[in-house]
Every structure is written in C-alpha cells, then in structure tokens.
DNA sequence: ATATTTTATTGATTCCAATCACAGTAATTC
DNA sequence: GAATTACTGTGATTGGAATCAATAAAATAT
C-alpha cells in the first residue's frame, strides 16, 4: 500500500497501514486510530486466544502467522484458518456476547496490534465504512469456509489437497524459474489437521503428486508447484 | 417481537418486523424502510439465486424455508445453509463485487422481501447499527460453518448426525409430552447432502438411534427426540 | 560436525462408509 | 381409493482412508 504519511511521528510500519479494514480511511484518521492501539508480541507456540474465552479486543496481525483451530471431541485439532499479516480475529466478542469459537496459536514469532472493545465500537459508529469493510472481509472468509465444506462433501481427498495448495500458493507463493515456490505456514501434521485427514494420508498423496511431476517437496517447509493447471484440474475448481 | 405500530398503513406482517438486522430501529424508521422493499413469492423447487450469478438485492425470507447449496464437481450437492423466517442472503453481492457463492432453492412456498443494492447501501451509512447487526449475524453463521467443519475433522459420522438433529431441534422443534418433535425442513437425501454423507448411511444411523431409543421417526418429515442428553453426548458437544 | 529430537515417509492391516441393487413405504396424482 | 411416482430402508460388496508399526529424513541442540 502507498504510504502517504510524511510526518515525523508516524511509523511506516504501523500495523493499521496493513489492515484492509482501515483502507478507506485517510492518513489523518489513521493516525488518530494508531493512538488507540496497543501492541503485543508472541513466541512460536504461544496461545493468543483460547476457545471459549471472552476477549475484550480485536486483534490484528502485524507480522507473522497464526493458526485458528478447534479441539475435536476425539482429541484431534481441526484447523479452521491460517491468519497472517493484516488479518484480524476476535471480532465476534466485540459485537455479540459470543466467546471465541476457536483457539489461536502463534506459528512463529508474531506481532499483534490490539484495539479494545469500547474504542473499536465507537470507531464503528463514527466510520460506517469500517463496518462495511469488515462485512466484506467476513464475506470472504465465509466463502472460504463454504468452499472447505463443499470439498468435504466431495469425499475425494485429492480434491482437497489440490485446493489447499492453490490457496497457499496465492498467499505464500513466490515465482521462481522452476515454478511457484510455497513457503508452507504449516507442517505436514498441520496441513492434515487443516484438511481433516490423517498425516500419513497426506504424505502418501503428496508423494503421488510428486511422482506425477505436479509438485516437488523442497525440505519440509516448502513445496514447488510445477504444474499449476494439473493442480487446478485436481482441485475440481472449474471456475 | 412486540408490534408497536398503531397506524393504519403498516401491516403487522411486514417482513422487516421479523428481521433481526433491523431490530435496533424504531417504528418510524421501520416504516420508512418498508417503503423501499419489494416482494416476491416462490414455489417449492424454484431457484431464487444461482451460484455464480450477480444479484442486485439483499433478500430476506418472510415466510418459508430455503436451502443454500453448491454443486460439487462430481455432481452431488453440498448444502451449506437452511434459511428460514427472518434470515437473509445475497448480501455478498451488495458490498463486494462477489457473485453468489451458492445456489438458493425454495424448499416450500416462500415469501421474500428484497431491498436493492443502492437503497441498502445508503441505509448502512445512515444506520451503522444495521451493519453491526449484520456483522453479528455473519459471525453466528461463521460459527455454525466452523462447527460443521470441525465435525468433519471428526471422522465419526454419528457425531455429525447428533449435531444436525440438535441444530434442527432449536430451529424447528416443538415440545410435546413425548419429547421434542422436529418438523424436518429437509428430506433424508437433503440431510445427507447437508452432512456430506450418503443417504443410505444416514438411514442406517437413524435406524440405529431409533433402536437405542434416542429418537423416533414420525413419517418421513418429522423426528421425535426422546433422549436429548444422549444426543448431546453423541454429538460430542461438551459445552 | 555429531548427537538428539522432531517430523515425515512407507508398509501392512483394519474398518467404516460408499456404492450397487433391490424391496418396502410414503406421498401424489388422477 | 387405486395407480403412479417419489422417497426411504436394508443387504451385500467394495474401496479408500485410518490406524498401527517401523524406518527414514530433517531440524535443532550440543
């Protein structure tokens, strides 16, 4: 995003610059909001919000990535979202009296910005555009959840794996001469928990895709996409 | 909801009376909005919105119920929501430039109220509380989707069936001396498409639950819940 | 650089739900 | 109310992914 700020006080790395929900505001308004924000950092593995807990702030990620998950009755974890720079969470608690519907855990060192319930609510009344931006963002998240739910209706596991790789490509991919290199935010186990399948099944399927020349594993934390079209076909995404 | 309107013009069955997103407004404001609304009825089986289609209105259900679903690549349908009185859809198209993420089909005779894009947007700017109400409602829907996604991570199918019965109980249940009688909005096939399982599997599992004395089928369109606690245990819902 | 721990892969087996096939039941239509 | 049509239930079989078990590879610590 273009940085319009020329003043001495305003840091260029202010988190609000990164956050889509504030994107309709001008620099002056942003500076005002920046003053309302508090910061906090987390180490890898630290819990930021616990499922069922009430929070009193909306939390915006300034840097790093987190996973949001639920613990299933049988002791596994089902990952619902992976949030990174500019994403927010905790908004449910501010508007309704809901407690958090998921646990949020840092996947690496994470810097967050927090805006307290009261400040955020008055902001919403002052700038309806922020509310509209939030509705838009929630709409996108719902759309992603809906797709996830659909791909489960399709019992085919390959389908889901194709989907997650394409998702990660958009968010974490980098073009290289050989193909698009994805720096994975999750381990194999994490990805399996995202897809709702067993770790071993994921390994096998990824191995298969590698044999077919569609992808290549690069260490444990990266995957190179060699044939994006084939992946799209696999994911059943006809659009 | 209490009907405060005493005037001659205002119909008591105005849809906006039923709609939570307008619940913060006073009677005068409601009457103003009522004038902006157009109506349309649908027969069972009629398509209200098609996936991928752009619409220019938010649609509120005044009476009846609908299913919102996606067609999976392998030709099945995955139901995402069942909407009834007071629920709305089509809001994605108004705020972002998204097209509909699902198809909506009437499950019975349905009466709808529509508010056009332009009118709705100016309303949002005028009454930020409406936007906040929408955020709340979307939050609840997301919470439901998240639960659905979780219960898929749990491979156990009984779990999901318990969940859908408890959901339907809250929305469509009626207390009787024998237990809570649910008037099902969906056929067995519909329920199976909601759960993402085969129709036959659902039949078998429901039969099992009946043998265990937890439920009783009453014709094809109703189910009597005899042992709600056992159902909760089954659904793994510890909260 | 080596040792230790963590994470990932591969193989063998089991099990649950999908599918196929058909019979039974309920709901419409005439 | 009989006939037709749509929906639902049950049995037999198959298949794909989970689980169990062990090895291999990678990341981290020493």
């Amino acid at each position: 995003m273009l940085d319009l700020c020329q003043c001495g006080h305003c840091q260029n790395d202010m988190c609000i610059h990164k956050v889509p929900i504030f994107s309709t505001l001008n620099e002056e308004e942003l500076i005002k909001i920046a003053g309302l924000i508090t910061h906090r950092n987390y180490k890898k593995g630290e819990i930021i919000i616990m499922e069922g807990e009430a929070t009193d702030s909306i939390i915006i990620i300034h840097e790093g990535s987190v996973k949001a998950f639920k613990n299933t009755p049988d002791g596994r974890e089902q990952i619902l979202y992976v949030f990174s720079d500019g994403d927010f969470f905790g908004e449910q608690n501010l508007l309704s009296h809901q407690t958090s519907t998921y646990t949020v855990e840092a996947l690496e060192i994470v810097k967050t910005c927090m805006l307290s319930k009261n400040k955020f609510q008055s902001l919403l009344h002052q700038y309806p555009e922020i509310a509209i931006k939030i509705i838009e963002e929630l709409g996108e998240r719902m759309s992603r959840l809906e797709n996830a739910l659909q791909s489960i209706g399709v019992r085919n596991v390959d389908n889901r794996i194709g989907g997650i790789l394409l998702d990660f490509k958009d968010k974490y991919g980098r073009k290289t001469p050989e193909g698009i290199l994805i720096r994975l935010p999750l381990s194999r186990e994490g990805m399996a928990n995202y897809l709702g399948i067993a770790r071993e099944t994921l390994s096998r399927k990824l191995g298969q895709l590698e044999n077919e020349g569609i992808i290549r594993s690069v260490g444990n934390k990266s995957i190179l996409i060699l044939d994006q079209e084939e992946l799209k076909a696999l994911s059943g995404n006809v659009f």
Side-chain angles (χ1 to χ4, degrees), chain A residues 208-232:
Chain A
Q208 224 170 287
L209 291 180
E210 195 157 359
N211 285 338
E212 292 167 18
I214 297 170
I215 62 166
R216 189 191 313 145
S217 280
V218 182
N220 281 346
K221 291 197 172 136
S222 296
I223 284 180
L224 190 66
I225 294 185
L226 302 170
D227 189 342
Q228 201 176 326
E229 289 313 311
E230 197 53 45
L231 214 54
K232 274 184 191 160

Side-chain angles (χ1 to χ4, degrees), chain A residues 24-52:
Chain A
T24 54
L25 305 180
N26 64 38
E27 194 62 21
E28 196 183 339
E29 291 165 334
L30 283 179
I31 292 170
K32 218 166 67 189
I33 292 172
L36 307 174
I37 282 176
T38 58
H39 299 271
R40 178 153 176 206
N41 300 338
Y42 296 88
K43 288 196 292 263
K44 177 177 173 176
E46 272 193 281
I47 303 294
I48 302 174
I49 294 186
M50 200 73 177
E51 182 179 356

Side-chain angles (χ1 to χ4, degrees), chain A residues 38-182:
Chain A
T38 58
H39 299 271
R40 178 153 176 206
N41 300 338
Y42 296 88
K43 288 196 292 263
K44 177 177 173 176
E46 272 193 281
I47 303 294
I48 302 174
I49 294 186
M50 200 73 177
E51 182 179 356
E53 223 175 61
T55 52
D56 58 352
S57 303
I58 184 169
I59 297 169
I60 299 160
I61 298 181
H62 180 199
E63 219 180 284
S65 58
V66 304
K67 64 178 176 183
F69 64 94
K70 282 171 175 284
N71 281 110
T72 63
D74 56 342
R76 222 186 341 266
E77 74 178 37
Q78 176 63 46
I79 297 179
L80 301 170
Y81 310 97
V82 175
F83 293 133
S84 21
D85 301 26
D87 289 326
F88 61 87
F89 53 89
E91 82 287 348
Q92 310 107 314
N93 320 318
L94 301 181
L95 301 162
S96 56
H97 305 286
Q98 265 188 305
T99 53
S100 182
T101 52
Y102 41 72
T103 301
V104 178
E105 183 186 322
L107 290 169
E108 52 191 322
I109 291 174
V110 168
K111 298 181 182 177
T112 65
C113 306
M114 294 188 296
L115 196 54
S116 79
K117 187 172 174 135
N118 293 339
K119 286 170 186 162
F120 187 65
Q121 277 184 329
S122 61
L123 221 55
L124 281 183
H125 281 93
Q126 208 176 339
Y127 304 110
E129 311 85 44
I130 295 178
I132 291 173
K133 276 279 166 196
I134 289 179
I135 293 174
E136 280 180 35
E137 169 60 23
L138 291 181
E140 265 171 53
R141 271 185 214 176
M142 286 189 69
S143 171
R144 249 178 292 141
L145 279 181
E146 288 164 2
N147 281 327
L149 208 59
Q150 177 197 33
S151 75
I152 283 137
V154 182
R155 288 116 202 169
N156 185 348
V157 169
D158 300 272
N159 203 293
R160 291 192 241 171
I161 293 176
I164 202 181
L165 289 177
L166 291 173
D167 271 3
F168 281 167
K169 182 209 67 173
D170 294 333
K171 224 174 170 182
Y172 306 105
R174 208 187 70 228
K175 271 199 184 121
T176 72
E178 293 191 278
I180 297 166
L181 187 71
I182 303 172

Side-chain angles (χ1 to χ4, degrees), chain A residues 9-27:
Chain A
H9 296 95
C10 149
Q11 307 141 283
N12 289 346
D13 66 340
M14 283 200 308
C15 50
I16 50 170
H17 272 117
K18 285 191 180 180
V19 178
I21 61 173
F22 296 134
S23 65
T24 54
L25 305 180
N26 64 38
E27 194 62 21

